[in-house]
Amino acid sequence: MQPASRMNQIPPYLFLELDKLVAKQRQLGRDVISLGIGDPDRPTIPVAVDALKLAVDNPDTHRYPNYLGSEAFRQSISHWYHQRFGVDLDPASEVIGLIGSKEGIAHLIWAMAGPGDIVLVPDPAYPVYHTQSILAGAQSYPLPLTAENQFLPDLNAIPEDIWNRAKILWLNYPNNPTGAVATREFYQEAVRLCLLHDVLLASDGAYLDIGFDGYRAPSLLEIPGAKEIAIEFYSLSKPFNMTGWRIAAAVGNPQAIGLLGTLKSNLDSGPFTAIQDAARATLESNPWPFIQSMNQLYQDRRDLAVQALNNMGIAISPPRSTFYLWFQAPFGMTSQEATNYFVHHADVVLTPGEAYGKHGEGWLRISLTIDTLRLQEGLDRMARALRDHPPA
Ligand SMILES: *Cc1c(COP(=O)(O)O)cnc(C)c1O
């Protein structure tokens, strides 16, 4: 069997590889603690579970869904954006339901870019922006995210000929993997440059509702004029512990939403209606107490982990959002060396920063989506390993 040549151009999906590594070590009888994967450990918000049980008993939900998302679900996203961000969205033309935002991110790239086109992709970043650009036959142009620049890309460093061939600029704030947040000034500049060059600005808002010490992330669509050139992905996965449910929405520029809808209606038939009903019930239920309790839990874990890393001599300041800590590998190890070191000397799995792009080399990511006592145990083991088996 010979796969399509495009399959040779993409690396194996990182988290699949991490899963395999953990499985292998566990088979050897090791008690492995995985701090690798960003997937909430707590149960889904109860209102979603209750609403799903009712919805699934209603045979109306058993048929093909509305391809673009049910009217009621799109209404609830529109209300949420109004309440949460003061952004007004027409549910019919400026909102589309997605089978998780990963699906929408991938398909937006297919709808917008092909051979000869460029996709502007932050580095490090969620791997899907790059791999889907390659699969679609386009080129991805890396935008380095560095600590010196607060992990914001230097948009003015993008050469004119690159802008001219670019079709999409990806942004993701609050940011995975760095934990960085964007300022309004940065968003204003991004909107200005994308309008100037007629490049679709795509904001991945997976972590918009995660925030610590009172921080609340802005939506890119709050910037005046943003809707003329921008689209944003809002996912229920991370704030409501619903990663397994596969439900999200894209909102904003009606032309981009329409293109996504055209492509998707030829590929899938939308999220299960019962899941859309449960998502709607969640957004309409005043879920703030739930969001705040999760944020408090992640904040407590963040504080514990930042303290532990600092005690190991690893410098890191506490991020204001996301459930990730991003830090340089100790003793000048490469990402891969450090990942191997901690697997073998601490039975702890971390994510190598280089998996998110070339500029992630030398960095590591810890995810806080693990039981607090296990997190503490993993950090204790890391400290012990560094003390008892210092890397050469
Ligand atoms: C988790 C994550 C996603 C995927 O979210 P789903 O809605 O579950 O597909 C997208 N982007 C980033 C940056 C993420 O971390």
Side-chain angles (χ1 to χ4, degrees):
M1 183 174 15
Q2 282 302 316
S5 57
R6 72 173 78 89
M7 291 305 287
N8 299 323
Q9 296 179 286
I10 52 165
Y13 196 63
L14 163 76
F15 295 102
L16 209 61
E17 298 302 302
L18 279 182
D19 280 348
K20 283 189 204 157
L21 176 63
V22 173
K24 188 179 130 216
Q25 292 297 106
R26 287 193 175 139
Q27 236 159 29
L28 295 172
R30 316 289 309 192
D31 168 35
V32 180
I33 297 181
S34 176
L35 306 180
I37 293 165
D39 185 357
D41 57 306
R42 306 288 300 155
T44 294
I45 186 170
V47 59
V49 176
D50 295 340
L52 180 70
K53 287 176 184 161
L54 287 177
V56 92
D57 278 337
N58 174 3
D60 290 348
T61 68
H62 301 174
R63 311 189 67 196
Y64 282 121
N66 177 325
Y67 289 166
L68 306 178
S70 72
E71 254 169 64
F73 173 62
R74 285 184 282 159
Q75 282 278 3
S76 71
I77 291 283
S78 170
H79 286 151
W80 182 253
Y81 259 72
H82 179 78
Q83 266 179 27
R84 169 70 178 83
F85 304 111
V87 168
D88 290 316
L89 296 166
D90 170 25
S93 63
E94 298 178 333
V95 180
I96 184 171
L98 301 172
I99 311 170
S101 55
K102 188 183 193 178
E103 177 264 292
I105 290 165
H107 287 146
L108 181 70
I109 295 170
W110 282 87
M112 292 296 301
D117 296 332
I118 283 179
V119 180
L120 301 168
V121 175
D123 177 351
Y126 183 59
V128 179
Y129 319 134
H130 170 74
T131 49
Q132 287 297 334
S133 302
I134 300 302
L135 284 175
Q139 237 176 299
S140 85
Y141 182 87
L143 308 177
L145 304 188
T146 63
E148 302 79 71
N149 206 32
Q150 283 74 51
F151 301 109
L152 297 170
D154 180 0
L155 300 178
N156 289 297
I158 302 170
E160 203 58 28
D161 60 312
I162 298 295
W163 272 118
N164 292 339
R165 288 170 55 206
K167 303 300 285 291
I168 312 179
L169 165 60
W170 282 102
L171 296 177
N172 162 224
Y173 294 98
N175 184 257
N176 175 11
T178 68
V181 298
T183 58
R184 267 168 225 277
E185 293 68 36
F186 172 75
Y187 276 162
Q188 273 159 4
E189 185 62 0
V191 168
R192 187 184 74 77
L193 287 167
C194 284
L195 278 168
L196 183 68
H197 296 99
D198 196 26
V199 168
L200 176 62
L201 179 53
S203 159
D204 179 351
Y207 300 92
L208 281 171
D209 285 326
I210 313 284
F212 311 131
D213 311 315
Y215 177 76
R216 272 208 196 187
S219 161
L220 173 68
L221 299 180
E222 291 176 37
I223 304 303
K227 235 198 264 173
E228 288 168 45
I229 200 70
I231 178 173
E232 187 160 81
F233 291 86
Y234 181 83
S235 175
L236 283 91
S237 287
K238 308 294 167 53
F240 302 118
N241 304 341
M242 291 175 75
T243 49
W245 295 55
R246 315 313 302 132
I247 184 77
V251 301
N253 182 271
Q255 196 194 344
I257 297 291
L259 284 166
L260 194 48
T262 303
L263 182 66
K264 273 174 60 59
S265 57
N266 285 286
L267 276 163
D268 63 62
S269 302
F272 180 24
T273 303
I275 291 177
Q276 296 188 52
D277 287 355
R280 175 180 55 78
T282 302
L283 294 176
E284 287 174 354
S285 70
N286 179 24
W288 271 101
F290 182 87
I291 291 175
Q292 276 162 343
S293 72
M294 286 308 305
N295 282 340
Q296 187 60 52
L297 178 66
Y298 294 136
Q299 185 178 316
D300 293 344
R301 291 175 181 173
R302 175 201 68 171
D303 290 344
L304 169 165
V306 164
Q307 183 69 54
L309 289 169
N310 287 342
N311 289 346
M312 288 176 225
I314 295 171
I316 178 169
S317 48
R320 280 190 285 173
S321 178
T322 76
F323 33 62
Y324 304 115
L325 298 182
W326 180 248
F327 53 94
Q328 276 175 296
F331 292 89
M333 287 186 279
T334 65
S335 302
Q336 201 59 58
E337 282 166 357
T339 307
N340 289 337
Y341 169 84
F342 285 115
V343 168
H344 291 108
H345 293 288
D347 285 320
V348 168
V349 176
L350 307 177
T351 317
E354 143 233 21
Y356 301 94
K358 210 170 66 172
H359 288 87
E361 177 51 273
W363 294 76
L364 295 169
R365 193 194 76 174
I366 277 184
S367 170
L368 303 171
T369 52
I370 178 170
D371 174 79
T372 308
L373 290 175
R374 288 290 277 175
L375 174 64
Q376 181 70 65
E377 163 78 16
L379 292 158
D380 289 347
R381 288 188 197 171
M382 287 169 65
R384 228 176 299 135
L386 289 172
R387 201 184 52 223
D388 299 344
H389 307 275

